Amino acid sequence: MEGQNPNEGLVGALSNSSSLHESAEFYNAVVSTANVDLMEVLQDFNWQAGGDASDLETRLKSEVQAIEASNVHAIIQSEEQANSIVEQLERAIMELDIIDEWLSHYTRHLDGMGQDVHQIEVKNKSMQIGSANQKRLLEEMEKIMAMIRVPGFVIEILRSEPLEDEASVLQCEDAINRLMQVTQTKFDDGIGDMTAIKEKMSLYDGYAHQFGMRLHSYLETYFATQAEVWHRESGRISKKGDLRICGHESVELDLYKFRKLLRWLKGLDVRKHVDLQMSYVQEMGRVYQKETSDLIEQLRARMNRKVPTEDQQYLFYVPNTASLSNTISSSATSAIKSIGISGSRGNLSILANEKNSKPEKRGLRDRHRRKGTKDSVDSGATEDEEDDGASQKDGRSLRRKSEAGDGKWSRGYASSSMASLDVGLEDRMTPDQALGHALSVIVPIIIREQNFMTDLFGLSKSFEESDSKSWQETLDRPRPASKDVKTSKRIHELVGRMFSEAKEFLSNMIEAAIKYDQTFSVGMMVRIEEHMKETDSAAYSLLFETLDAVHKKASSIFEKFVDEQLKGIEETKVNFKKRTGILPFIRTFPHFVDRMEGCLEDSDGPARQGVCRAYERIVQKIMETLNDVAREVAADSKLSNDDKEQLNIHIINVENMHHFYSEVRARKVVFMDPFVKQTKTLYDISLLSYGKAVIRKPLGKLFEFFEGIDELLENHITPEEISFRLQYNKSALKDVLKRYPGKEIRKGLESLYKRVEKHFPSENGLLQVAWRGIQEEFTRQLRKYEDTMARCYPDSGLKIEFTMDELLGYFSDLARAH
């Protein structure tokens, strides 16, 4: 390794070592601390430049540590004060430890104090926030309480404000509105649950319920007092013969001002609202029950029910009056007695001439219909009646009368109006007119009361606020039905309770009215149907049910009447052995039609349908009766072989069918056209049969000869074979023709005319009709004989001794001679 720098060799060796970095540091340290000849040092360590550097490093560190330890040990041994210094150092360390403990102690105290200060600061901040929140909460509560605060005067109004006048009621309405605005205030979540709010609302609810009780008590007393005032004063203001039912427009006006309070009460306390409805219905129903009873009593006293027997030409069967009266039910009789219905007065005959009485009847009815119960004066007005003789004779116009009452409740029924009918004190009416008058008063009253209760108690949502006058004018007008089933049911119940006796009163009136003549039931049905047609069955269900029940009552009476008439027809004895002329039921039927049409008065409702069914049943029974007797004659061998009996049947049929046809046709009733055609057909058949029967005698052998030929032809004998029959050969024909020359025929026709004249009196016009029919049949037979001879005896040269022109001349001469 000559010429090589030893440092470079060392660096190179160190660079190849895994601890090159550490060796480099050590090398630098050694070089920097002493100016040492490295080669010498390395030689001392027996280290070659190409050897392992890590071993060298380890050896070097060990040597350095040993040197340092030796140096330290040498220093310590060489210094005299080293022990003293060590002791002082130990004391110093001990003191430091004590100081450290004190510092730790003070640190812990300071940390605790810091935490306390922090907690105090946090609490102080929370208190500041809480104080601010409390202040804001107080402000908000003051705002909320101000929102729900009700002035003291409002509470005072609800407690003590009187309810008699409209101004006071308006103040109460305003107070209630203020209270409702507060109690219906909507709060944010949680605010409404606050105790203060709940207590305040509970207090206000108490005020509302107290006022509700006061309103309920006032109106209950008002209803009862008005009814008592009416009962006390109605006797004083009523006059004998008045046909009326008191209205109560003034009460409507008084109660109208409570409509808003009642709607509020409905939302507050449904039970009290329902109690007021029932109280009103009970008190007003008591009034209307008495008024309806009095009205029917007065109408009952003015009815002419008993028709003289001679005027009952329209009856097929006249029942015993005593037995008919027994058919009225005991309940109806007791009810009639309870309302004091007396017997009919007056001797006016209303049915002596049906055609003449009809215009009078219709005129009274039209006059009544034009006026009705709507011709009333405004509420509160007073109009004195004039009872002079002229007004009684001509009939009083419909009027409304008001008389002031006494005391606090003078605005009640005593001052309300009264609906009077257009009937004078001496006027009399038929039962159907009386029922029509009763309905013309009762029906509008029920409609008005239903509308009034619906509006007053807020039972319908369709009510529109308006001034009292315009509202009152709408009460008489029918309204559409409520779409709410529950509401409709409630209205039906209230009206039913108020007018619970109306159905019974009207039914009893019908039973009493038809005691002597059940045909009045037809006119009654017509009157009822007029009101049913104008009444909505859904909107006014109680009224419609009442009318329907009364209509069924009248209808059942009419059906029973028809059954009795059919029985009368069936029991009529028809003796064909004697020519009795027009049968009783045939003579009665046109009068029956007149009676029915007079009662119907152009009606096309159920009453008309019932009468048409009665027509059909009666006509059918008439035809059956005639056919039954004819069948009895045919079934009897003795009678069937008797030409006289057969002829009597034809005569009676011709007479009766001709009378039926001519009389019924003259009525020009469209619904009778089918029956007219039926009787015309039967009449034509009977007249033809009669003609065939009576011409047998004047033609005699001639008729029998050709009748025998017809029988042979009907038995399929050819016309050519007829002349080969011994009985019908040419000689037999010649002998028969010689017996009936024109002179003989004319003589036979003269006898026949006298016979026909006995069968059909000339006053009924049948003689000419029958004679014309005989002429037609005679000529038809003559043409038939000529045709038969032409077919059966074509080359005989025989002919009838007289010509057709001669025959027609015979008939004309006889007709002119008589």
Side-chain angles (χ1 to χ4, degrees), residues 229-248:
V229 169
W230 181 90
H231 279 294
R232 185 175 65 249
E233 299 190 1
S234 61
R236 177 177 61 82
I237 64 177
S238 63
K239 294 185 179 181
K240 183 178 180 181
D242 282 341
L243 301 177
R244 63 188 180 185
I245 285 184
C246 287
H248 62 283

Side-chain angles (χ1 to χ4, degrees), residues 169-208:
V169 173
L170 290 175
Q171 289 186 8
C172 292
E173 285 182 8
D174 181 67
I176 285 295
N177 290 333
R178 288 171 176 262
L179 194 64
M180 289 176 63
Q181 289 176 359
V182 172
T183 56
Q184 295 178 356
T185 301
K186 295 183 179 180
F187 299 100
D188 295 335
D189 296 340
I191 295 179
D193 297 331
M194 297 177 65
T195 303
I197 300 297
K198 289 183 176 180
E199 291 178 352
K200 205 68 173 177
M201 292 301 178
S202 177
L203 181 63
Y204 293 156
D205 286 340
Y207 292 146

Side-chain angles (χ1 to χ4, degrees), residues 363-550:
L364 177 61
R365 178 182 171 210
D366 291 343
R367 189 166 67 249
H368 156 66
R369 180 185 295 170
R370 286 194 301 269
K371 292 181 178 295
T373 56
K374 296 183 180 179
D375 296 341
S376 59
V377 297
D378 294 338
S379 175
T382 302
E383 181 181 354
D384 295 330
E385 293 183 337
E386 295 181 0
D387 295 327
D388 57 285
S391 64
Q392 294 179 3
K393 181 178 180 181
D394 298 334
R396 284 169 280 178
S397 60
L398 292 172
R399 62 203 180 274
R400 302 271 183 175
K401 179 181 178 181
S402 300
E403 293 185 4
D406 299 325
K408 176 181 179 181
W409 305 98
S410 60
R411 298 187 306 273
Y413 282 93
S415 62
S416 63
S417 61
M418 295 177 290
S420 301
L421 291 171
D422 186 17
V423 180
L425 286 173
E426 301 302 325
D427 289 345
R428 291 294 179 265
M429 63 189 75
T430 60
D432 52 346
Q433 287 176 337
L435 180 65
H437 287 323
L439 292 176
S440 68
V441 176
I442 295 174
V443 169
I445 286 291
I446 294 178
I447 292 176
R448 186 181 183 91
E449 269 302 328
Q450 178 171 325
N451 293 341
F452 175 71
M453 283 193 295
T454 301
D455 294 346
L456 178 64
F457 295 105
L459 301 179
S460 176
K461 297 180 180 179
S462 61
F463 175 70
E464 297 181 359
E465 293 291 341
S466 59
D467 61 88
S468 58
K469 184 176 181 180
S470 59
W471 164 78
Q472 205 167 21
E473 292 174 352
T474 65
L475 292 179
D476 288 327
R477 303 170 190 168
R479 300 175 181 177
S482 174
K483 297 181 180 179
D484 188 351
V485 177
K486 187 176 180 180
T487 299
S488 299
K489 185 177 180 181
R490 180 58 179 168
I491 293 173
H492 179 94
E493 179 183 358
L494 291 174
V495 180
R497 287 177 178 270
M498 178 175 286
F499 297 96
S500 59
E501 303 296 331
K503 184 189 302 183
E504 181 179 358
F505 285 158
L506 293 172
S507 297
N508 294 336
M509 181 180 183
I510 290 176
E511 287 194 356
I514 53 86
K515 180 177 179 182
Y516 298 100
D517 190 346
Q518 293 170 299
T519 59
F520 288 121
S521 59
V522 177
M524 291 179 177
M525 286 190 286
V526 173
R527 298 319 192 269
I528 297 168
E529 288 166 12
E530 290 175 353
H531 292 281
M532 293 179 70
K533 189 182 298 184
E534 299 171 358
T535 303
D536 188 340
S537 59
Y540 300 91
S541 56
L542 186 280
L543 175 58
F544 192 86
E545 286 181 5
T546 300
L547 294 175
D548 185 59
V550 178

Side-chain angles (χ1 to χ4, degrees), residues 72-315:
V72 171
H73 183 70
I75 292 171
I76 292 173
Q77 288 180 351
S78 63
E79 291 294 336
E80 296 179 353
Q81 297 179 346
N83 293 331
S84 175
I85 293 172
V86 171
E87 293 177 355
Q88 291 179 358
L89 287 173
E90 290 178 350
R91 285 198 301 272
I93 290 171
M94 292 176 63
E95 292 293 333
L96 289 173
D97 291 338
I98 294 171
I99 292 172
D100 185 61
E101 291 179 358
W102 279 104
L103 288 174
S104 298
H105 176 71
Y106 288 138
T107 299
R108 286 195 298 273
H109 278 281
L110 288 174
D111 289 341
M113 292 177 65
Q115 292 177 358
D116 292 341
V117 170
H118 179 70
Q119 290 179 356
I120 292 171
E121 290 176 350
V122 170
K123 289 182 179 180
N124 185 38
K125 187 175 181 180
S126 298
M127 291 177 64
Q128 290 178 353
I129 294 173
S131 177
N133 288 339
Q134 291 290 338
K135 185 176 180 181
R136 292 187 62 184
L137 179 61
L138 181 61
E139 293 175 353
E140 291 297 326
M141 283 299 299
E142 289 178 351
K143 292 180 181 179
I144 293 173
M145 297 305 291
M147 289 173 57
I148 64 174
R149 185 175 294 113
V150 177
F153 72 90
V154 172
I155 305 301
E156 185 62 26
I157 289 175
L158 296 179
R159 284 177 176 173
S160 58
E161 185 68 24
L163 298 172
E164 281 79 9
D165 57 87
E166 186 172 1
S168 299
V169 173
L170 290 175
Q171 289 186 8
C172 292
E173 285 182 8
D174 181 67
I176 285 295
N177 290 333
R178 288 171 176 262
L179 194 64
M180 289 176 63
Q181 289 176 359
V182 172
T183 56
Q184 295 178 356
T185 301
K186 295 183 179 180
F187 299 100
D188 295 335
D189 296 340
I191 295 179
D193 297 331
M194 297 177 65
T195 303
I197 300 297
K198 289 183 176 180
E199 291 178 352
K200 205 68 173 177
M201 292 301 178
S202 177
L203 181 63
Y204 293 156
D205 286 340
Y207 292 146
H209 280 86
Q210 288 178 2
F211 178 74
M213 293 177 63
R214 190 161 72 91
L215 177 64
H216 175 271
S217 176
Y218 175 83
L219 290 177
E220 271 197 335
T221 305
Y222 180 86
F223 299 152
T225 307
Q226 289 301 307
E228 291 299 326
V229 169
W230 181 90
H231 279 294
R232 185 175 65 249
E233 299 190 1
S234 61
R236 177 177 61 82
I237 64 177
S238 63
K239 294 185 179 181
K240 183 178 180 181
D242 282 341
L243 301 177
R244 63 188 180 185
I245 285 184
C246 287
H248 62 283
E249 281 80 355
S250 58
V251 175
E252 291 172 355
L253 290 175
D254 275 351
L255 292 177
Y256 183 74
K257 62 178 177 283
F258 292 103
R259 64 199 183 282
K260 293 181 179 179
L261 292 179
L262 285 171
R263 281 169 175 73
W264 165 81
L265 183 63
K266 181 179 180 181
L268 177 72
D269 193 332
V270 176
R271 173 175 288 185
K272 285 186 175 60
H273 190 262
V274 172
D275 287 345
L276 282 178
Q277 296 174 23
M278 300 309 297
S279 176
Y280 176 82
V281 166
Q282 180 180 356
E283 298 298 338
M284 301 303 106
R286 189 158 55 95
V287 171
Y288 283 124
Q289 180 177 351
K290 178 63 169 59
E291 279 288 272
T292 304
S293 174
D294 291 344
L295 172 68
I296 292 179
E297 178 183 357
Q298 293 294 335
L299 289 171
R300 172 65 177 82
R302 292 163 184 253
M303 285 193 301
N304 281 302
R305 299 174 300 149
K306 191 171 183 179
V307 181
T309 304
E310 60 271 15
D311 292 332
Q312 295 181 338
Q313 300 178 10
Y314 48 84
L315 298 179

Side-chain angles (χ1 to χ4, degrees), residues 680 683-695 698-699 703 749 752-753 756 766-786 802 804 807-812 815:
K680 180 63 166 62
Y683 164 74
D684 292 337
I685 294 173
S686 300
L687 185 61
L688 180 61
S689 299
Y690 172 80
K692 288 181 178 180
V694 296
I695 66 173
L699 292 177
F703 190 92
L749 290 178
L752 178 60
Y753 188 89
V756 174
L766 267 180
L767 177 60
Q768 291 76 15
V769 175
W771 187 247
R772 186 166 52 251
I774 291 172
Q775 176 181 328
E776 293 174 357
E777 181 61 23
F778 215 111
T779 56
R780 190 182 71 81
Q781 290 292 338
L782 184 59
R783 291 191 179 96
K784 181 180 177 182
Y785 298 160
E786 292 175 346
F802 55 91
M804 183 65 68
L807 178 64
L808 294 177
Y810 299 156
F811 277 101
S812 298

